[in-house]
Amino acid sequence: MIDLIVVGAGIMGSAAARHAALAGASVLIIGEPEPTSPSQHNGLFGAWHDVSRLASRLHGDPDDAELSRRAMLGIAELEAGGAEQILSPVGYLYTAAPGFDTPMRQRLAAPSGLDIETLSADQLHQRYTNMSFGPNVSGYFEPSPSGYLNPRRLVQAQLAAAVAAGATLRRETAQGVELTATGVVVRAGGHDYSAARAVLCTGAFSNTTAFLPRPLALRLKTETVLLSELTEASAAQYVQMPVVHYEIDSPTIASIYCVPPITMPDGKRLMKFGANSRHDVEVNTDAVANWYQSGPSDQALGDMGQACQAMFPGLEAVDSHTARCVITYTPNRNPIIDTLVEGRLFAAIGGNGHSAKWCDGIGGLAASLALHGTWVDPTIGPDRFRAQFADQPQQWDLAKLVSERE
């Protein structure tokens, strides 16, 4: 019998499969490939269909810092093993309007060993002459290896490493999980696959009784990014910039994040500009596919375009379009890494916007829990990762949607 089935071949699933296979377990991975055309895709979607995610190391919580450390170590191991470059260590610039930098100050108060440079508004202006921030904005620069990572390459490399270690990958849609007296049966692609245990890494599509014996406490929020195709001259002007996180004081958008221009396979130079916007909404599991296929993300085009032009006044774009994603939140904003059914069913669900930069750490913890049947990690404890269920009272530690703010 197979030791472990990993349900989901995305960010968390590929990491869990890699760690389980490297530990010597027999592993079956079941998951769909990336959709070639979201509007025509009728299966499941994942949040990793992208080429850039911010990767930083500074955190106020030591567990968060450890997850980031493990993730960067895992990426270095994959790249050393021959994977195409995943991490671009361009540095990480955090900026905040007056009164909005409390989270960064809390992180700086914790011991980190990182050389974080604090920049005044004048210093920001002098150093980043091709960017524009509001008055009295403070800045904090975190040097390499912080920067951005390519989640597509990361998933591909993790799956390749898992297969090289003996795992089997089935490109099928998982339709359900059934508990048996001795283990689990996963239904996928018209087949039944039996194993001693399974770990669910099913993201925004987790809350269905086909997977879960009991629905989890999850909230799903739409996420929109602006992708601007730059002229060659404009791309050259911004290609050396760090990744930027900007806590802005605005009634229409919040928490801007942007990445230097990236050359795509078709030769286009795209700059990614993301933010929470007043058009974000919560969606239920049944509505996720519709959002990915044809959601009204262009509603945010005007707000984001104006904010992008204000932040990068010299930017010249020949075309701009939006792309859609979903963030899966848990009440305490920590991923669920827990046992759902003793000895048989486990979960790594709820990235809270951190799944890419923490996935190796999350996957390693999930694989260890599933294979050992108990939490054995000597550094990170299990309490913050406990599953909370939809039929229990919860206290949600989430920021309000932009449209709900006063």
Side-chain angles (χ1 to χ4, degrees), residues 185-203:
V185 173
V186 178
R187 296 183 299 278
H191 302 92
D192 287 347
Y193 299 99
S194 298
R197 55 192 73 87
V199 58
L200 301 177
C201 305
T202 41

Side-chain angles (χ1 to χ4, degrees), residues 16-297:
R18 170 177 173 262
H19 279 278
L22 289 174
S26 57
V27 179
L28 173 62
I29 314 160
I30 298 175
E32 295 185 8
E34 181 177 359
T36 55
S37 173
S39 63
Q40 303 298 318
H41 182 68
N42 293 317
L44 306 181
F45 290 83
W48 58 274
H49 309 151
D50 190 9
V51 297
S52 61
R53 294 293 169 82
L54 274 61
S56 60
R57 296 166 293 155
L58 182 64
H59 298 280
D61 186 282
D63 287 350
D64 294 348
E66 176 64 11
L67 287 171
S68 290
R69 187 192 72 82
R70 294 182 187 186
M72 289 194 176
L73 179 62
I75 289 172
E77 290 174 352
L78 291 168
E79 291 178 339
E84 192 173 1
Q85 182 182 8
I86 298 167
L87 179 65
S88 296
V90 298
Y92 173 90
L93 176 64
Y94 180 102
T95 58
F100 284 72
D101 66 346
T102 300
M104 176 54 72
R105 293 188 179 278
Q106 291 172 342
R107 295 180 200 175
L108 289 170
S112 69
L114 299 177
D115 185 18
I116 307 299
E117 185 179 5
T118 300
L119 301 169
S120 68
D122 287 341
Q123 289 170 323
L124 274 176
H125 177 71
Q126 292 167 7
R127 179 175 300 184
Y128 302 105
T129 57
N130 55 3
M131 300 186 207
S132 178
F133 302 100
N136 302 316
V137 168
S138 53
Y140 306 86
F141 180 75
E142 181 180 326
S144 75
S146 297
Y148 66 92
L149 60 86
N150 185 317
R152 282 192 178 117
R153 289 182 185 172
L154 179 55
V155 169
Q156 292 165 1
Q158 290 181 153
L159 290 175
V163 171
T168 300
L169 174 61
R170 300 287 187 197
R171 285 302 194 181
E172 298 171 348
T173 302
Q175 286 130 0
V177 178
E178 179 183 346
L179 300 173
T180 68
T182 57
V184 297
V185 173
V186 178
R187 296 183 299 278
H191 302 92
D192 287 347
Y193 299 99
S194 298
R197 55 192 73 87
V199 58
L200 301 177
C201 305
T202 41
F205 290 86
S206 296
N207 256 354
T208 164
T209 53
F211 293 145
L212 295 170
R214 186 181 178 192
L216 293 165
L218 302 174
R219 288 184 178 175
L220 312 178
K221 185 190 82 69
T222 61
E223 184 83 355
T224 300
V225 297
L226 176 70
L227 297 173
S228 298
E229 180 186 350
L230 306 188
T231 63
E232 285 295 324
S234 195
Q237 182 182 3
Y238 291 99
V239 73
Q240 299 297 325
M241 64 177 264
V243 300
V244 183
H245 183 166
Y246 181 17
E247 293 292 356
I248 187 171
D249 185 5
S250 165
T252 59
I253 63 172
S255 299
I256 291 172
Y257 53 93
C258 43
V259 178
I262 297 174
T263 302
M264 306 301 289
D266 60 5
K268 294 179 180 179
R269 307 291 295 273
L270 297 185
M271 176 182 276
K272 175 180 174 180
F273 183 95
N276 294 326
S277 90
R278 57 178 170 165
H279 302 288
D280 293 339
V281 296
E282 287 190 11
V283 292
N284 58 35
T285 301
D286 294 336
V288 171
N290 287 336
W291 163 253
Y292 273 110
Q293 289 167 336
S294 58
S297 56

